[in-house]
Amino acid sequence: MKRCPSVVDVARRRFLTGAGYATAGTLAAGLVSGTSNAAPAPARIEYPSRRLASVRDLKVNEALLVSYPDREAPGVLIKLGTPVAGGIGPESDIVGFSTLCPHQGVPLMYRAADHTLNCPGHYSRFDCDASGQQIWGHATQNLPQYALRIDEAGDIFAEGIDELLYGRLSNVL
Amino acid sequence: MVYKRQLDRLPIVPNDARQFNVTCHYCIVGCGYKAFTWPMNKQGGLAPGTNAFGADLSKQQDAQSAAWYSPSMYNIVRQDGRDVQLVIKPDTACVVNSGLGSVRGARMAELSYSPARNTQLQRLTSPMVWRYGQMQPTSWDDALDLVARVTAAVIDEQGDDGLFVSAFDHGGAGGGYENTWGTGKLYFGAMKVRNIRIHNRPAYNSEVHATRDMGVGELNNCYEDAELADTIVAVGTNALETQTNYFLNHWVPNLRGASLDKKKTEFGNKQAEPGRIIIVDPRRTVTINACEVEAGAARAMHLAINSGTDLALFNAWLTYIADMGWVDRSFISESTKNWDGALAANRTSLDEAAAITGLTPDQIRQSAEWIAEPKANGARRRTMFAYEKGLIWGNDNYRTNASLVNLALATGNIGRPGGGCVRMGGHQERYCRPSDAHVGRPAAYVDKLLMEGKGGVHHIWACDHYKTTLNALAFKKEYKKRTDIVKDAMSDVPYGDRPNMVAAIVGAIERGGLFSVDVDIVPTQIGQACHVWLPAATAGEMNLTSMNGERRMRLSERYMDPPGQAMPDCLIAARLANAMERVFREQGKPQQADRFRGFDWRSEEDAFMDGYHQHEKGGAFVTYERLRTMGTNGFQEPASAYVDGKLIGTKRLYADGKFSSSDGKATFMSAQWRGLQAAGKEDERRKWPYLINNGRTNQVWQNAYLDQDCEFVIDRWPYPFIELHPDDMAELKLGPGDLVEIFNDSGSTQAMAYPTPTARRKQAFMLFAEVPRDQERRRNCYRYGLSASQCRPRNPARHLAAPILGLSLFSIRLSSCWSKAVPTAMRTDRDRGNAPLQQRRRV
């Protein structure tokens, strides 16, 4: 059976200092795991659960300004009035999106007539009925959408995002 | 479910990452990017001193930040045999794009070959030959030996005319001066091949012969001229989608009035006002919407002419402007000839032009005023003319091109700030080859000759006739028949028996067969018929030099390894030449062998020094090292000097009033209207109810050769679409997303109906070279096991869309195979941005 040479080497050095083999073995194990004393970071970001609004705050086809996961990350909640894939609430029609254009970070504007978020900077368009798919534009990703939860009291919480937000290399700073 | 990457953070570029100059390898604009690479086990930090941007990344970055990159700008690639992390992001210091990234260029990293992240595994990695009834991997030596022996046998017997060649002549992805010189030296130097065509057309001809014949090179201004012009005239070009950052970074500032200071600096404080724009296009494009948003409807004019009637409009402009005395008399007399003759020949009244174009006489008069009426203080109006495929591939294109250049010359708008008469371009340029004079004019119609059984060997360099030739279905049928004769003959001989294999192939060629060799970066549709595939490197995997639409030349540096055994095209050409020389010498034909000397290049830099450096105007000043120093801004060709460590370029051509002709004068050309010029086209117009305009959408580059393997794009465009007016759809009983068959006497294809209220009745729009895709087959993209025909997309839409005329007439019916059964999330009920949106301007 092969042994890890470095473990053997540590044991030998401990032995030469006069410590017992058993102690050396314990120490060796400690050294191996010494690089991971801190708890390893999870592979994915831990998102805060943040209350954005109550269903009572929403009017059909009007964008309610919110922010998530923190105040520096603007977004909207929209009750579309028609059920959509990924929509929550009794009518499955409530959705939430980041409103920084993933092209260059210009704030998007909601156009109620066709349920789109539009960029006045370079004319990109995103489809709120279709999870923020870019209808046309310059961004190389579809619009980040919130994972939403609604509780019994009708409070709406955001608990995750499905694309990287513009202007940060980690969605949670 | 819409495609989402589900990626919520990215590795940070460390401050000691390696940096490379990158010019976007897609469209002609050639935006500047920087590539960063660093080892897998390193990463930058949030603190300003620990990342490559010197930014505090623990904070939200502002709009237009240089310290952010999207997931599509990140990948893991091989560099010197090791996996490294890669970020390619727009360069804020590049004057072309000033940090803007397009939906194409900003995906360069993601569209790189990455075994670690499963991107672009469709790339060819080994030479492949037809063996045991399928394509099999082999060595370079083996593949090149077979190609050389068969090619040598054919040219020995038939002369160089027995060799047919289809070769790209572009820059950007896979192109570059290195590679056009490589193929050019092989086919025009070592050989004198006449049966040769270019990547996107079936002959070896210019798309803009007329302007060149008049002495006016087609890329004669600089991008800054779009900021300085009083009026921009855009003909058959949809710049927001196809030259995105040229439009956003140079046209829009003028329309917004943001370039007024620049105008005042350049021209003094006289009459500076925001620019106007005239767009000639039968279709309302997203570009027109953007121009109206930025300039206001009072300064943006859309002339929705009848397709193919541009010539009548231009001649009417010329006539009216001349009659009003708004021409530049001194420029005409000093720098041009044949003014009086051309004016008399082309004379067209406003009423005549109105009847032909479908515009009103007032529209034509007002647009002529915008082009040439002197300003209130008597100053000359500066007008820039830009045109692209809508003109180049339109009706009677030679004359139409000439008539627009006539107008630019008459108004003194070439060689001067705020002027120019330029094609917008598709890919970047980089033509450097020995003389092609032996090809002659008119050049051989290569695809027609191939269909007629001519030629014995066909070498293909990054072309796909199956997608982009005229009447592709008929071409495909004949091509398959001929190449199958050779395949069957090859299957009858053990592969290891080289003499008998070559004899069998040559025998098959004598029976009407064709031996076909395909050099490309990915498997192609025409590759299904070929007997040898040779894997090429693309941009980023080799050093490449190209120039953009203002002749701006940069070195785009190698930052990663080519996949597998892939090589730069110039070195493939060199190794093929070496093999030809060896074969002829073996056969005791030293004279033939000697033709193939001079290909001892070991690197793409060797090819550059042999070609551009020695042969191009100003090339003697240009080396890789100097270009590296010039960064992403490079210089504008031609170089005129090297001073203080910098290459000195040429901002505008013809600034001295001397044109590209023996006497230095530009020539006005007679160009009378003669209706639909191509034979039979007028009959088609009467016979078929619908017309297709074809063009692009911005997410898709070219024929989607890389995008077909990019989920972000395929999720949006899983099928080709056809834009139709809603009333036409009602008449045809179609709903959004219905799959329709489009047919005429030349063939048929299919597409998803996309209702577009801004479309004109009976005028449809489809993407050029767009291919009906089959999701499931696409996912089975072969590596070695499957035969190509099992996994490549189906027939192209292109065979209907005749590029030489741009007018395709056809009929539509609901496809029998599907109806209202859209099997994907493709949205066909959303305005793409053609309609007026009332978008507010950014403050």
Side-chain angles (χ1 to χ4, degrees):
Chain A
M1 188 180 138
K2 284 186 181 172
R3 291 175 190 274
C4 173
S6 61
V7 171
V8 173
D9 192 46
V10 169
R12 185 182 299 125
R13 278 189 274 119
R14 293 302 300 173
F15 181 71
L16 290 173
T17 61
Y21 184 74
T23 316
T26 309
L27 270 173
L31 283 172
V32 168
S33 62
T35 53
S36 56
N37 275 342
R44 280 184 61 83
I45 285 174
E46 297 274 1
Y47 282 93
S49 177
R50 183 179 165 110
R51 180 185 177 279
L52 300 183
S54 159
V55 280
R56 289 177 293 279
D57 301 331
L58 297 176
K59 292 180 186 151
V60 172
N61 209 12
E62 280 186 25
L64 180 74
L65 302 183
V66 297
S67 61
Y68 183 77
D70 52 63
R71 289 182 174 283
E72 299 298 313
V76 283
L77 275 186
I78 306 165
K79 183 175 169 55
L80 294 164
T82 45
V84 294
I88 62 150
E91 281 87 42
S92 300
D93 64 343
I94 299 171
V95 289
F97 297 98
S98 161
T99 50
L100 288 185
C101 180
H103 174 226
Q104 288 235 299
V106 175
L108 302 173
M109 294 181 305
Y110 185 63
R111 186 166 181 260
D114 61 359
H115 294 185
T116 56
L117 282 159
N118 293 269
C119 180
H122 309 102
Y123 334 109
S124 298
R125 288 165 51 66
F126 301 90
D127 191 342
C128 298
D129 288 345
S131 302
Q133 186 180 49
Q134 184 169 241
I135 298 163
W136 187 92
H138 315 286
T140 54
Q141 59 195 93
N142 294 314
L143 196 59
Q145 183 172 14
Y146 300 153
L148 297 177
R149 174 175 66 84
I150 189 163
D151 70 8
E152 287 170 1
D155 286 333
I156 300 166
F157 296 82
E159 302 188 325
I161 304 175
D162 59 8
E163 279 279 3
L164 190 67
L165 294 172
Y166 180 86
R168 43 181 79 191
L169 295 175
S170 169
N171 275 351
V172 176
L173 293 173
Chain B
M1 162 104 199
V2 167
Y3 170 70
K4 294 291 175 82
R5 288 188 184 80
Q6 300 292 357
L7 228 166
D8 49 22
R9 59 181 155 183
L10 285 174
I12 294 171
V13 185
N15 55 8
D16 58 351
R18 292 179 70 185
Q19 288 194 34
F20 303 86
N21 296 316
V22 172
T23 305
C24 176
H25 50 76
Y26 299 123
C27 88
I28 186 166
V29 178
C31 294
Y33 283 73
K34 285 279 184 191
F36 300 84
T37 63
W38 69 101
M40 290 308 306
N41 61 345
K42 305 281 185 196
Q43 60 181 325
L46 299 174
T50 60
N51 60 66
F53 316 110
D56 180 356
L57 297 178
S58 68
K59 296 202 160 56
Q60 168 77 33
Q61 305 300 307
D62 290 337
Q64 301 180 311
S65 168
W68 187 74
Y69 38 96
S70 68
S72 67
M73 299 182 201
Y74 175 82
N75 212 338
I76 296 170
V77 298
R78 297 255 164 86
Q79 183 186 69
D80 303 326
R82 288 197 191 94
D83 278 346
V84 295
Q85 306 191 65
L86 169 74
V87 162
I88 308 176
K89 59 188 293 298
D91 183 8
T92 48
C94 178
V95 296
V96 174
N97 54 313
S98 304
L100 283 165
S102 76
V103 67
R104 299 171 297 280
R107 288 185 289 121
M108 271 189 285
E110 188 174 67
L111 293 188
S112 298
Y113 177 74
S114 172
R117 293 181 88 231
N118 291 318
T119 54
Q120 293 298 321
L121 296 187
Q122 61 164 335
R123 289 287 302 277
L124 291 174
T125 55
S126 298
M128 307 275 278
V129 297
W130 182 258
R131 196 192 291 180
Y132 322 127
Q134 60 182 318
M135 297 306 283
Q136 295 271 355
T138 189
S139 67
W140 274 107
D141 284 348
D142 177 62
L144 289 172
D145 182 76
L146 180 66
V147 173
R149 286 184 191 282
V150 175
T151 305
V154 167
I155 64 171
D156 218 22
E157 196 174 305
Q158 301 185 24
D160 291 350
D161 286 354
L163 171 59
F164 277 54
V165 177
S166 302
F168 67 87
D169 71 347
H170 55 72
Y177 286 108
E178 296 77 4
N179 291 338
T180 59
W181 177 252
T183 50
K185 188 173 182 180
L186 178 61
Y187 297 118
F188 293 164
M191 294 181 268
K192 287 278 179 273
V193 169
R194 288 192 302 170
N195 295 315
I196 181 168
R197 57 160 271 178
I198 300 172
H199 48 276
N200 65 351
R201 48 195 183 272
Y204 203 83
N205 52 11
S206 167
E207 290 176 312
V208 288
H209 264 326
T211 189
R212 293 183 187 178
D213 288 349
M214 295 164 78
V216 182
E218 67 271 20
L219 299 177
N220 48 58
N221 74 354
C222 60
Y223 284 176
E224 193 184 61
D225 285 326
E227 298 174 56
L228 297 173
D230 293 306
T231 302
I232 297 172
V233 179
V235 179
T237 168
N238 180 15
L240 174 57
E241 296 212 63
T242 53
Q243 292 89 7
T244 303
N245 292 331
Y246 177 25
F247 180 82
L248 292 177
N249 202 34
H250 300 280
W251 292 30
V252 167
N254 191 2
L255 302 177
R256 281 181 178 170
S259 62
L260 284 177
D261 285 346
K262 202 171 247 184
K263 290 183 180 182
K264 286 173 186 166
T265 307
E266 185 86 19
F267 307 126
N269 207 1
K270 292 179 295 188
Q271 298 287 317
E273 55 182 57
R276 294 173 177 170
I277 187 161
I278 299 164
I279 301 181
V280 182
D281 199 316
R283 185 170 70 107
R284 187 183 163 85
T285 61
V286 294
T287 302
I288 292 162
N289 175 52
C291 289
E292 289 180 358
V293 168
E294 299 300 345
R299 305 185 84 84
M301 189 189 303
H302 175 204
L303 299 179
I305 61 167
N306 294 330
S307 279
T309 63
D310 312 59
L311 175 61
L313 172 66
F314 305 159
N315 282 348
W317 276 344
L318 185 77
T319 306
Y320 183 76
I321 285 165
D323 289 351
M324 295 300 289
W326 296 338
V327 296
D328 191 327
R329 296 233 158 261
S330 61
F331 179 84
I332 290 171
S333 64
E334 282 162 27
S335 297
T336 72
K337 54 194 178 193
N338 194 36
W339 163 242
D340 294 328
L343 178 63
N346 299 346
R347 187 160 278 285
T348 304
S349 72
L350 296 181
D351 288 336
E352 285 169 329
I356 295 166
T357 59
L359 303 171
T360 66
D362 275 348
Q363 280 178 302
I364 303 174
R365 182 186 301 113
Q366 192 193 359
S367 48
E369 289 164 1
W370 284 22
I371 291 169
E373 185 181 25
K375 294 190 264 189
N377 65 352
R380 191 178 67 85
R381 198 168 286 281
R382 297 175 185 274
T383 300
M384 177 187 127
F385 301 85
Y387 58 92
E388 195 35 51
K389 295 286 190 291
L391 184 159
I392 291 168
W393 286 3
N395 174 38
D396 216 354
N397 50 3
Y398 185 87
R399 289 189 180 192
T400 306
N401 184 200
S403 68
L404 190 64
V405 179
N406 280 343
L407 187 64
L409 286 169
T411 52
N413 273 310
I414 296 180
R416 292 171 171 177
C421 185
V422 294
R423 71 171 295 183
M424 292 291 281
H427 47 69
Q428 285 177 74
E429 302 292 337
R430 56 12 328 139
Y431 190 92
C432 175
R433 279 178 177 161
S435 169
D436 59 10
H438 65 279
V439 173
R441 280 174 72 173
Y445 186 170
V446 166
D447 290 8
K448 187 157 170 282
L449 294 174
L450 282 171
M451 289 170 72
E452 289 168 354
K454 305 290 195 308
V457 183
H458 189 197
H459 294 182
I460 305 166
W461 298 76
C463 304
D464 200 341
H465 313 49
Y466 278 21
K467 281 183 179 175
T468 60
T469 194
L470 304 175
N471 205 352
L473 198 57
F475 177 89
K476 184 176 182 176
K477 206 171 129 194
E478 288 305 314
Y479 199 82
K480 179 176 182 300
K481 199 185 291 173
R482 295 191 64 196
T483 50
D484 275 350
I485 295 173
V486 172
K487 280 184 178 172
D488 292 344
M490 290 175 78
S491 295
D492 287 341
V493 185
Y495 187 78
D497 184 354
R498 184 55 47 99
N500 273 324
M501 176 61 75
V502 173
I505 294 170
V506 170
I509 290 169
E510 283 163 3
R511 297 194 303 277
L514 183 72
F515 181 75
S516 177
V517 182
D518 192 18
V519 187
D520 214 313
I521 63 170
V522 294
T524 60
Q525 291 202 5
I526 196 171
Q528 295 169 20
C530 298
H531 308 93
V532 179
W533 297 343
L534 301 176
T538 189
E541 301 160 1
M542 63 178 288
N543 294 294
L544 274 176
T545 52
S546 301
M547 73 173 191
N548 77 349
E550 54 175 350
R551 295 160 284 100
R552 188 176 296 278
M553 181 177 184
R554 274 79 54 91
L555 173 67
S556 198
E557 295 180 277
R558 171 177 165 150
Y559 48 78
M560 63 180 281
D561 302 343
Q565 304 178 58
M567 286 200 295
D569 296 79
C570 55
L571 296 185
I572 297 174
R575 297 297 86 83
L576 180 53
N578 298 155
M580 296 282 291
E581 183 184 355
R582 177 175 49 78
V583 166
F584 276 125
R585 238 175 260 296
E586 263 178 38
Q587 294 174 351
K589 293 169 180 159
Q591 275 185 319
Q592 287 274 48
D594 284 348
R595 294 163 70 187
F596 295 93
R597 294 170 70 173
F599 287 93
D600 53 352
W601 311 325
R602 305 318 305 176
S603 70
E604 55 268 32
E605 187 169 7
D606 292 344
F608 178 83
M609 295 306 282
D610 189 44
Y612 187 92
H613 181 74
Q614 282 195 51
H615 292 88
E616 287 302 301
K617 186 179 178 188
F621 299 111
V622 187
T623 64
Y624 270 19
E625 193 47 47
R626 290 177 181 183
L627 282 171
R628 226 172 249 125
T629 312
M630 299 299 285
T632 55
N633 285 326
F635 73 97
Q636 289 175 273
E637 294 184 60
S640 59
Y642 180 69
V643 182
D644 297 334
K646 287 189 172 159
L647 287 161
I648 308 301
T650 308
K651 193 167 182 177
R652 294 178 188 88
L653 300 185
Y654 316 126
D656 59 357
K658 300 276 187 293
F659 288 88
S660 305
S661 61
S662 52
D663 60 2
K665 295 202 168 186
T667 306
F668 285 98
M669 200 179 273
S670 297
Q672 297 99 328
W673 169 253
R674 51 178 164 174
L676 296 183
Q677 170 252 336
K681 203 48 77 168
E682 185 58 39
D683 292 338
E684 280 185 20
R685 193 178 66 79
R686 286 196 213 97
K687 180 173 179 181
W688 301 101
Y690 291 90
L691 176 144
I692 297 178
N693 279 302
N694 60 63
R696 302 281 190 197
T697 183
N698 70 337
Q699 283 112 329
V700 180
W701 170 245
Q702 279 288 350
N703 62 34
Y705 61 89
L706 294 182
D707 292 321
Q708 65 187 349
D709 202 17
C710 175
E711 201 56 35
F712 172 71
V713 172
I714 294 306
D715 182 60
R716 177 69 186 108
W717 302 121
Y719 295 89
F721 61 84
I722 179 166
E723 287 185 356
L724 289 167
H725 191 278
D727 293 348
D728 289 335
M729 288 182 57
E731 200 173 281
L732 292 160
K733 298 187 171 52
L734 298 177
D738 278 352
L739 194 65
V740 296
E741 184 167 60
I742 299 139
F743 62 97
N744 65 12
D745 290 337
S746 300
S748 53
T749 189
Q750 60 184 23
M752 293 273 186
Y754 201 131
T756 306
T758 56
R760 299 169 77 179
R761 289 294 308 270
K762 307 292 182 190
Q763 295 202 10
F765 172 78
M766 290 182 76
L767 299 189
F768 166 73
E770 188 61 38
V771 178
R773 297 187 196 86
D774 179 319
Q775 290 276 51
E776 292 314 309
R777 284 205 221 173
R778 185 176 63 80
R779 288 184 205 290
N780 286 331
C781 204
Y782 79 94
R783 307 250 8 234
Y784 294 127
L786 295 170
S787 77
S789 59
Q790 286 176 332
C791 57
R792 301 306 302 154
R794 292 175 298 209
N795 299 337
R798 262 308 267 111
H799 60 258
L800 276 173
I804 301 305
L805 205 65
L807 297 174
S808 293
L809 292 310
F810 63 96
S811 193
I812 296 176
R813 62 188 165 214
L814 194 63
S815 172
S816 54
C817 49
W818 271 323
S819 170
K820 299 192 191 294
V822 185
T824 73
M826 177 171 170
R827 298 300 298 255
T828 52
D829 56 352
R830 281 286 183 270
D831 162 40
R832 298 169 57 247
N834 307 49
L837 281 178
Q838 314 300 322
Q839 285 176 339
R840 271 187 292 147
R841 291 174 60 172
R842 185 154 50 104
V843 288

